[in-house]
């Protein structure tokens, strides 16, 4: 199952609340999923790496090394993990993609570049790092140029976050079209749930994006246990099969 991450047009990205939960959701998605484990949940890189190796085994490599709610302060932890764990998927702030790619030492892992909506369709905010995110004048860059820059740094995709579901649908469409034109992967993230999933995916797939990695997080997490609900993952997989 491990190769699905690289071969599929759509790969889900969901959270693994525990090792057992990661196993459950991986089986529920029939392997067509990258399961997120967040560096923010661990006190040290060493502690994360120790656990990550267990997850890697259960997930056949389809671990998504996460920041934790898009927290750019975790960029260095993710970059350090890249030295020791060759997971199939890494989440990273735009500014730290090159660092992460270098630490992977040639391993063919997928690294995204986190960018944000700007308020203007066709422009993307690239100042998503720990210092730059708070700058009074954000760096807003043409979407096609952002894709070119991301490629130069060694990124495989743009992670478009936070979307707030369909709140920035016009911006999503513009960034998806840029990814479509430039043969680049898109990872829509933030506020995606079972209700808006189809519409969000349709916008992206219609724009000709070659591969989509939708992050569906808190909306399918059981608040009491902190685990992702396997039955919701099955529902999402059925939606994906209908779309592609």
């Amino acid at each position: 199952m491990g190769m699905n991450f690289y071969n599929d047009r759509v790969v889900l990205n969901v959270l693994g609340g525990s090792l057992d939960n990661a196993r459950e959701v991986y089986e529920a998605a029939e392997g067509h999923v990258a399961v997120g484990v967040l560096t923010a949940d661990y006190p040290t890189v060493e502690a994360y790496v120790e656990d990550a190796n267990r997850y890697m085994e259960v997930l056949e490599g389809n671990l998504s090394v996460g920041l934790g709610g898009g927290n750019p302060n975790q960029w260095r932890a993710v970059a350090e993990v890249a030295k020791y764990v060759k997971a199939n998927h890494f989440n990273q702030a735009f500014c730290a993609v090159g660092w992460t790619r270098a630490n992977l030492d040639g391993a063919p892992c997928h690294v995204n570049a986190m960018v944000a909506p700007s308020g203007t369709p066709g422009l993307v905010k690239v100042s998503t790092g720990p210092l730059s995110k708070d700058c009074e004048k954000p760096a807003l860059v043409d979407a096609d140029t952002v894709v070119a820059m991301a490629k130069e740094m060694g990124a495989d995709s743009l992670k478009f976050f936070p979307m707030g579901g369909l709140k920035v649908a016009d911006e999503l469409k513009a960034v998806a079209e840029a990814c479509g034109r430039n043969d680049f992967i898109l990872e829509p993230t933030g506020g995606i749930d079972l209700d808006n999933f189809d519409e969000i995916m349709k916008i992206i797939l219609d724009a000709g994006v070659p591969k989509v990695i939708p992050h569906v997080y808190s909306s399918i997490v059981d608040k009491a246990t902190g685990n992702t609900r396997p039955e919701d993952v099955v529902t999402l997989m059925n939606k994906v099969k209908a779309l592609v």
Side-chain angles (χ1 to χ4, degrees), residues 9-241:
R9 178 139 193 233
V10 177
V11 174
L12 296 174
N13 194 305
V14 304
L15 293 172
S18 66
L19 193 61
D20 284 340
N21 185 225
R23 187 185 282 113
E24 285 176 337
V25 296
Y26 191 58
E27 287 169 3
E30 299 161 29
H32 304 271
V33 67
V35 179
V37 177
L38 312 174
T39 57
D41 292 341
Y42 290 82
T44 62
V45 166
E46 290 73 24
Y48 184 95
V49 168
E50 194 179 321
D51 247 16
N53 287 321
R54 297 188 192 104
Y55 279 94
M56 285 286 284
E57 202 173 324
V58 165
L59 299 170
E60 302 178 288
N62 285 327
L63 170 68
S64 176
V65 180
L67 296 160
N71 178 359
N73 292 311
Q74 292 298 119
W75 76 262
R76 191 185 286 264
V78 169
E80 287 298 308
V81 167
K83 290 180 183 172
Y84 309 104
V85 181
K86 306 309 182 199
N88 277 351
H89 188 265
F90 286 80
N91 296 272
Q92 191 52 285
F94 190 84
C95 60
V97 169
W99 192 309
T100 309
R101 178 56 71 196
N103 280 353
L104 284 166
D105 198 26
C109 309
H110 179 107
V111 181
N112 68 31
M114 185 172 70
V115 298
S118 66
T120 306
L123 290 180
V124 177
K125 178 182 174 183
V126 298
S127 45
T128 57
L131 304 176
S132 59
K133 72 178 170 58
D134 297 323
C135 287
E136 201 178 321
K137 295 177 179 173
L140 308 183
V141 181
D142 173 82
D144 290 273
T145 307
V146 169
V147 171
M149 291 170 73
K151 286 181 178 180
E152 287 167 345
M153 295 189 298
D156 299 288
S157 64
L158 293 183
K159 176 178 179 176
F160 194 54
F161 169 84
M163 287 180 4
L166 281 158
K167 281 183 187 157
V168 292
D170 50 349
E171 289 192 61
L172 174 65
K173 183 172 185 283
V175 78
E177 286 168 350
C179 287
R181 280 192 294 274
N182 298 289
D183 194 32
F184 208 55
I185 298 169
L186 183 59
E187 306 193 29
T189 310
I192 304 176
D193 58 32
L194 296 176
D195 295 326
N196 61 25
F197 182 84
D198 288 333
E199 196 174 338
I200 286 167
M201 290 299 291
K202 195 165 175 359
I203 290 169
I204 298 168
L205 293 168
D206 286 353
V209 177
K211 183 186 184 81
V212 190
I213 305 173
H215 293 235
V216 190
Y217 283 173
S218 54
S219 67
I220 61 168
V221 169
D222 183 307
K223 301 295 176 281
T225 63
N227 288 333
T228 294
R229 290 186 287 268
E231 62 273 22
D232 287 352
V233 175
V234 171
T235 302
L236 286 169
M237 273 311 300
N238 289 333
K239 288 175 177 290
V240 168
K241 287 170 185 171

